[in-house]
Amino acid sequence: MASQNPATSASLTVSAFSTPGTSVFDLEQTIPTQPHIPTPHCSLPTWRKYLVLATVSWMALVATYSTTSLLPATPEIGAEFNTSVSTLNITNAGFLLAMGFSSFITGPLVEVFGRRKAYNVALVIFLGCSIGTALAPNLGVFVGMRTLSALEGTLFMVVGQTILADIFEPILRGRAVGCFLAATVSGPAIGPIIGGVIVTYTTWRAIYWVQVGMIAAGLIASMLFVPDIRQTSKHQSSSDEKPRSLSMEDIRSLFNPMRLLRPLVYPNVILADIACGLLSTLQYGLLSSIREIINPRFHLTTPLISGLFYIAPGAGFLLGSIVGGQFSDRTVRNYMLKRKGVRLPQDRLNSGLVAMLLVVPGASLTFGWTLKQEVGGMVVPVIMSFVAGAGLMGSFNGLNTYTAEVLPYKRSEVISGKYVIQYIFGAGSTAVIVPAIDAIGVGWAFTILAILVTLAGLIVLLIAKRGLEMQIWVEKSLGKEEDR
């Protein structure tokens, strides 16, 4: 296909067939072969929207909290179960892998039973597995219960983000996703803080009893506020209409793993997923290594003190998510003004480029090498971990919202596929970071992480400039216009 400016191409089409704020799928078409995607749930009362936002954000926080809350307690857990910290770190990497690959199971279940029912059933199972973890008599039961709970974890992120994309209008979606993202990234940072406090004064099992209470609160809120919203597509209705009954053949096709992998044929989709994965290497590399590199460097002796170090990246995660969401929406509005109301999902990716190409790599390098050279005291790594956290989440916001918008009729599949790839990278970083620091030093380890983040920035720059052309090329060359 001949190269062309996406904005120019879009403006030629919008006058005939589109309305302000239209998605890329309307912009691509030279004839209106698809109906406009209905948005009946944008009419929910504002108070209800924000209660839904609070509920799904809370459960995203709890799900991600469970990935790191045991980190300050690994020596104590290892002592009780007669195993090593390295072994527990590997099991935590397995936990992340289980979260990623769970999408192949939970996604089809959501389609079969509906989002609200599947969401609440997952909450009940998560609650039961957390109780089982708290009562685990040996390492096998401990790992088994955590793995089972991981199988529900991704559902809360996928369904939560999908619901928000359904009920919030595009110009407000970035802010809503920013709040949701703040919860997903605050969880991994809050987990070690709470875990450190708990294990300092009582048993590590109390970490999971606190988790039980958090899940119970989420279950009550979900039953009260979360509506039953079904994905809108050519084959399904919204919840305002009676959904089409599914045959056994339909159900079998839903459990076909290619259903989640098929959207990866779009270069812009798989590149966005890889960029998320590269960003997560720094996120989980930082969180998984703090106790190993901070305690010896500053002679910290208790999990409480080292746990407090997580406040800095956690605060950065929170600030970056909220500010990043607002900046993402503002970027979208600016591009819409330039195009007289035309919106492209890739526009918001421009909001995180400076962070990915300059801010985060610089903070990562400074963090690693000041610790390596033992200069700057504790102040420099604290500040740099805050800056890196804020930049990471500002970058994640545009990418997460982009994956929710880029293929509206395959929204759940695209988001699920993103988490598969993202958690594969996160699991690899969790398992490798401490051995890497031991082998090559903290300076070079975080240099590698900085390079990976820079690579993510270059990938996002490519999508922002050429993503629409990639998508149109795939649909025209493979005849996939019917999937829009």
Side-chain angles (χ1 to χ4, degrees):
M1 187 181 79
S3 177
Q4 58 183 334
N5 187 308
T8 304
S9 174
S11 62
L12 291 174
T13 309
V14 68
S15 60
F17 304 114
S18 303
T19 57
T22 187
S23 76
V24 61
F25 305 96
D26 293 314
L27 299 179
E28 294 174 22
Q29 301 178 82
T30 56
I31 56 173
T33 58
Q34 288 293 338
H36 177 67
I37 301 170
T39 55
H41 298 286
C42 289
S43 62
L44 285 174
T46 300
W47 64 267
R48 179 75 177 274
K49 291 182 183 181
Y50 284 100
L51 283 174
V52 173
L53 172 61
T55 300
V56 298
S57 298
W58 172 254
M59 279 316 304
L61 182 147
V62 177
T64 53
Y65 160 91
S66 68
T67 67
T68 60
S69 58
L70 87 165
L71 293 179
T74 48
E76 291 76 13
I77 298 173
E80 179 167 339
F81 292 142
N82 195 27
T83 190
S84 67
V85 172
S86 296
T87 299
L88 287 174
N89 278 344
I90 291 173
T91 65
N92 205 43
F95 179 88
L96 292 174
L97 283 175
M99 286 188 71
F101 284 100
S102 68
S103 296
F104 289 103
I105 301 172
T106 57
L109 292 177
V110 169
E111 297 293 337
V112 173
F113 297 108
R115 292 178 189 163
R116 186 174 189 272
K117 185 180 293 184
Y119 195 84
N120 289 337
V121 170
L123 276 166
V124 173
I125 297 174
F126 193 21
L127 182 68
C129 290
S130 298
I131 294 173
T133 306
L135 298 174
N138 54 54
L139 182 63
V141 175
F142 176 81
V143 173
M145 289 293 101
R146 290 200 78 227
T147 302
L148 287 175
S149 65
L151 294 177
E152 293 83 51
T154 306
L155 182 143
F156 302 123
M157 268 82 80
V158 174
V159 174
Q161 190 175 339
T162 306
I163 288 174
L164 296 182
D166 285 337
I167 67 174
F168 282 95
E169 298 83 349
I171 60 172
L172 299 176
R173 194 174 291 153
R175 188 171 302 180
V177 171
C179 293
F180 179 79
L181 182 60
T184 67
V185 299
S186 296
I190 292 171
I193 298 172
I194 297 176
V197 172
I198 290 173
V199 79
T200 299
Y201 295 106
T202 183
T203 173
W204 62 267
R205 296 178 185 273
I207 295 172
Y208 291 96
W209 288 118
V210 170
Q211 184 172 302
V212 167
M214 296 167 74
I215 298 168
L219 176 60
I220 293 171
S222 176
M223 295 178 68
L224 291 175
F225 304 123
V226 175
D228 187 12
I229 303 175
R230 290 181 177 269
Q231 178 168 314
T232 303
S233 72
K234 293 192 300 179
H235 307 293
Q236 289 182 308
S237 305
S238 73
S239 65
D240 292 340
E241 301 171 3
K242 185 177 180 181
R244 180 176 67 88
S245 60
L246 297 173
S247 66
M248 288 304 299
E249 183 62 29
D250 293 329
I251 294 174
R252 280 195 296 269
S253 68
L254 288 174
F255 282 92
N256 184 345
M258 289 304 298
R259 181 171 170 271
L260 292 188
L261 299 178
R262 200 169 290 121
L264 299 181
V265 71
Y266 294 92
N268 53 320
V269 172
I270 191 170
L271 286 174
D273 293 351
I274 291 172
C276 287
L278 292 170
L279 293 176
S280 71
T281 59
L282 178 57
Q283 179 189 4
Y284 281 97
L286 176 63
L287 294 176
S288 299
S289 63
I290 282 179
R291 188 167 180 179
E292 297 297 322
I293 59 180
I294 295 298
N295 283 21
R297 169 71 175 82
F298 299 107
H299 310 292
L300 305 180
T301 57
T302 68
L304 173 61
I305 301 301
S306 58
L308 293 177
F309 191 89
Y310 288 89
I311 293 175
F317 290 163
L318 183 62
L319 178 66
S321 299
I322 296 173
V323 174
Q326 295 175 341
F327 188 50
S328 172
D329 284 342
R330 189 176 73 176
T331 302
V332 170
R333 287 194 292 270
N334 288 341
Y335 274 91
M336 288 177 67
L337 288 174
K338 291 179 182 179
R339 299 198 193 97
K340 300 180 180 180
V342 177
R343 180 180 66 89
L344 299 177
Q346 67 203 46
D347 290 341
R348 68 175 71 250
L349 295 178
N350 293 285
S351 64
L353 289 175
V354 173
M356 281 182 277
L357 294 174
L358 296 175
V359 177
V360 179
S364 179
L365 289 170
T366 306
F367 177 87
W369 285 104
T370 54
L371 286 171
K372 174 65 176 178
Q373 300 299 324
E374 298 188 359
V375 297
M378 188 180 287
V379 174
V380 174
V382 166
I383 294 175
M384 289 302 102
S385 63
F386 171 84
V387 173
L392 272 175
M393 294 312 114
S395 305
F396 261 126
N397 184 280
L399 278 165
N400 278 359
T401 310
Y402 176 76
T403 58
E405 294 178 337
V406 65
L407 296 175
Y409 284 117
K410 293 184 178 295
R411 183 172 286 153
S412 293
E413 292 91 330
V414 174
I415 295 173
S416 297
K418 178 190 82 79
Y419 281 114
V420 171
I421 294 177
Q422 183 173 324
Y423 278 120
I424 288 174
F425 278 82
S429 181
T430 299
V432 169
I433 185 63
V434 173
I437 290 172
D438 292 339
I440 63 176
V442 64
W444 284 113
F446 276 84
T447 297
I448 293 172
L449 293 176
I451 292 171
L452 295 178
V453 172
T454 304
L455 179 58
L458 294 174
I459 290 172
V460 171
L461 177 61
L462 176 62
I463 302 171
K465 299 300 182 183
R466 300 296 180 188
L468 177 57
E469 293 179 23
M470 296 177 191
Q471 190 166 326
I472 295 174
W473 177 81
V474 169
E475 294 193 345
K476 288 188 175 181
S477 62
L478 300 182
K480 286 186 172 291
E481 288 89 346
E482 72 274 13
D483 288 338
R484 291 177 190 161

